[in-house]
Amino acid sequence: MGRFEHWLATVAAGVALGAVAMGAVPVQAQVAYGSYIGAGASVGLTEDDNGDGDGISGVIAGRYRFLEAPISARAQALVFGDSFAIVPTVSYDVPLNWNTDAYLGAGVAFTGGDEPSAVGDKTSFVLQPGVDYIMPNNNLVLFGNAIIAFDAYENGGGTALSLQGGVGVQF
């Protein structure tokens, strides 16, 4: 063993002994920290019996992360033309790695306007599966989710489905 290899082995052994002496524990992925507010687009994938409700709208999204538990309060506002929806949810967040969370939220869609929004045209219970990705070395977040609104249409009942995505800024 050469001089460099011997030095490297000595340093590695010292680091390992120091970690044991300090009671170090193995590293585990944590939920991606960071509350954020962002903007993007929403696409309604379903429509009522009159053919209304599908289409593209803007979305403003926010997340408030509770640091002591894997729970977040989330809200999205979907706005386009004569329709809008406000969708507050509470989510359970699961870390996939240091920068990525998957989550499942539950909440309510409040709608208004002359035509159905991407999540219907009446107040309904929603499920919201999604993913947040915190970009390394900056404070930007990429978000994507689906909103599944049950019994969401006045004309036709039915479930509304929309997909959202965008970019947020952590605070």
Side-chain angles (χ1 to χ4, degrees), residues 16-39:
L17 285 173
V20 170
M22 292 173 44
V25 296
V27 174
Q28 297 180 359
Q30 300 292 317
V31 173
Y33 290 107
S35 300
Y36 67 83
I37 187 162

Side-chain angles (χ1 to χ4, degrees), residues 7 14 32 35 38 48-49 53 67 76 93 95 97 106 110 119 130 132 138 147 151 157-158 162 165 167:
W7 176 83
S35 300
D48 67 1
D49 287 346
L67 295 179
Q76 295 196 333
D93 308 329
N97 61 39
F110 301 102
V119 292
D132 290 333
N138 62 46
I147 296 176
D151 191 28
S162 68
V167 178

Side-chain angles (χ1 to χ4, degrees), residues 42-57 78-86 109-124 149 151-162:
S42 175
V43 178
L45 301 177
T46 56
E47 56 189 36
D48 67 1
D49 287 346
N50 295 332
D52 296 324
D54 58 347
I56 298 174
S57 61
L78 289 70
V79 181
F80 182 75
D82 291 335
S83 66
F84 68 91
I86 306 294
F110 301 102
T111 62
D114 294 334
E115 294 185 17
S117 71
V119 292
D121 59 356
K122 70 180 200 177
T123 301
S124 57
D151 191 28
Y153 295 108
E154 290 178 0
N155 293 326
T159 301
L161 174 63
S162 68

Side-chain angles (χ1 to χ4, degrees), residues 83-158:
S83 66
F84 68 91
I86 306 294
V87 185
T89 60
V90 175
S91 68
Y92 182 78
D93 308 329
V94 177
L96 301 179
N97 61 39
W98 286 103
N99 295 11
T100 310
D101 285 350
Y103 64 88
L104 178 61
V108 177
F110 301 102
T111 62
D114 294 334
E115 294 185 17
S117 71
V119 292
D121 59 356
K122 70 180 200 177
T123 301
S124 57
F125 171 75
V126 300
L127 291 178
Q128 183 184 41
V131 175
D132 290 333
Y133 174 73
I134 297 176
M135 297 179 67
N137 303 319
N138 62 46
N139 62 347
L140 296 179
V141 177
L142 300 177
F143 65 88
N145 62 63
I147 296 176
I148 306 160
F150 298 92
D151 191 28
Y153 295 108
E154 290 178 0
N155 293 326

Side-chain angles (χ1 to χ4, degrees), residues 1-18:
M1 180 166 25
R3 179 179 256 177
F4 177 73
E5 289 86 5
H6 180 55
W7 176 83
L8 188 58
T10 303
V11 169
V15 168
L17 285 173

